[in-house]
Amino acid sequence: MELPVLNEKPAASGCSAGSCGSTDDQLNHLSDEIRAKVENHPCYSEDAHHYFARMHVAVAPACNIQCHYCNRKYDCANESRPGVVSELLTPDQAVKKTKAVAANIPQMTVLGIAGPGDPLANPERTFETFRRLSDEAPDIKLCVSTNGLALPQSVEELSKHNIDHVTITINCVDPEIGAKIYPWIFWNNRRIKGVKGAKILIEQQQKGLEMLVAKGILVKVNSVMIPGVNDKHLAEVSKIVKAKGAFLHNVMPLIAEAEHGTFYGVMGQRGPTPLELQALQDDCSGDMNMMRHCRQCRADAVGLLGEDRGDEFTMDKIEEMEIDYQAAMEKRKVIHEAIAEEMHSKRSAKADAHAQFAQEEKLQTRPVLMAVATSGQGLINVHFGHAKEFLIYEASPDGVRFISHRKTDQYCGGDSTCGEAESALQRTIRSLEGCETVLCSKIGYEPWDMLEQAGIIPNGEHAMEPIEQAVIAVYKEMAAAGKLEPSNELERASA
Ligand code: CLF
Ligand code: SF4
């Protein structure tokens, strides 16, 4: 499945960076055919994720492997207990739900099957859903995410159903490392443990990748970064999957908390810090396009990446909706065209701003990380206190690039007591470690003071402005104020 999706916490999986070396930069160099596949896919294009939404339908309960970061509600392919997941849908329910969401959230362009188990370990349910949707809702892109064990035997079927996007989770290419991540796989009706099982899984993943590429299907590779286990190995994985034709690599942080009941969680295996993750993504990016905006979605997520509107589309609500999908498709077409036009004009404005910045006298300044509060459309349009996450951009003399997102707790949610609110605010500020400024539409006095005390400058002067242009403007202001001289350490390092 997409990754460790327990259906009550974020799952894992993902695309690429912003302006510099991003997929959007590379959009310009793609063939028309590939550009059409990625430009409104929120995972394959960082730009698109500000505008277009995705949804997942949880039709796949069983899994054929065990990952140490997953709390198995389904012990193996022979022991699936579908009732355990409240959102588990039949293919018929999944089709109804997809049409209902598409009619009500017209910017939803992609339907993914990503769990809660492995979609290809549940081939009848998965392919029945895809088959019906490719017939009944041909304007929706179909996407699937798999651990890869059953991939080679599924490629032919995938290629029949208008499925242009497949994600394979590849955490290693070395079985010794694999044995530390996968205690067993279920293969040919037997449970195979340790290095032997990991070796089969790796072979199947690599074979499946090659077969998909040969069919012209875009492949994204997801990898979970597990410090001390595969962190030193993932740059090698990146090289290999790129050489085999993968389009995008998404390195995601391990999520391991004891309360999730996963092996890693219980054993105290830590996930990477944001800066460790960024360093590894930068290492890998020498070899391939990196996704940095993955939100590690749930197996039943609905909406823009980073938001979840699943509660609006429970099956009891859907059963009461009257959907005329033909009419919905016409409306969706008009809205998609309008969004494409808006994206195009914002992309041109962004390119102009970068070109102008590049033509100016090159600043002799150090890079800076800035946090941005946004709810989409590529604008700074969220109050600091309402931000559930911040997008992190790096500004440097070479321009602006999207780095990552960081989730945070809302601290002014209404019913919090003062004491709780304060600690949530402190947590929010801690989540911005490494950032020197935060751009938002507005901010209150209390967080302003606390941010300043933490060495982060709040900035509400660029409300409703396009993100990249505002980041460049703030960077230039910081440079003009003499705040960006290279540090002594940097000078020493470069001497
Ligand atoms: Fe879903 Fe995955 Fe398709 Fe996207 S998610 S199946 S490619 S439509 Fe996207 Fe979510 Fe990350 Fe996945 S943000 S977890 S990468
Ligand atoms: Fe869990 Fe299977 Fe997905 Fe691994 S592949 S995270 S075990 S559902």
Side-chain angles (χ1 to χ4, degrees), residues 178-245:
K180 295 179 188 161
I181 303 170
Y182 309 105
W184 55 260
I185 66 165
F186 198 74
W187 178 248
N188 291 340
N189 298 319
R190 282 196 307 132
R191 197 175 286 215
I192 300 178
K193 297 182 182 168
V195 175
K196 205 169 159 200
K199 184 165 183 289
I200 295 169
L201 176 63
I202 290 166
E203 284 167 2
Q204 290 291 100
Q205 290 170 337
Q206 296 296 321
K207 188 170 167 197
L209 165 60
E210 289 163 19
M211 291 171 74
L212 289 168
V213 170
K215 287 266 182 203
I217 295 173
L218 287 188
V219 181
K220 171 165 69 62
V221 169
N222 284 353
S223 303
V224 182
M225 178 182 180
I226 311 162
V229 176
N230 69 349
D231 51 338
K232 304 271 185 297
H233 175 60
L234 285 176
E236 174 72 6
V237 171
S238 219
K239 266 197 193 104
I240 289 174
V241 299
K242 183 193 178 188
K244 293 195 173 173

Side-chain angles (χ1 to χ4, degrees), residues 7 58-62 73-90 116 122 125:
N7 238 15
V59 295
K73 293 184 175 180
Y74 308 95
D75 201 25
C76 75
N78 285 342
E79 295 174 298
S80 65
R81 290 169 288 150
V84 178
V85 174
S86 58
E87 286 294 325
L88 185 69
L89 304 179
T90 63
N122 301 261
R125 300 171 68 96

Side-chain angles (χ1 to χ4, degrees), residues 2 13-14 41 43 56 110 143 220 291 294-297 305:
E2 187 89 4
S13 167
H41 193 308
C43 304
H56 290 162
V110 178
C143 193
K220 171 165 69 62
M291 173 174 190
C294 176
R295 301 305 201 277
Q296 297 176 279
C297 316
L305 301 191

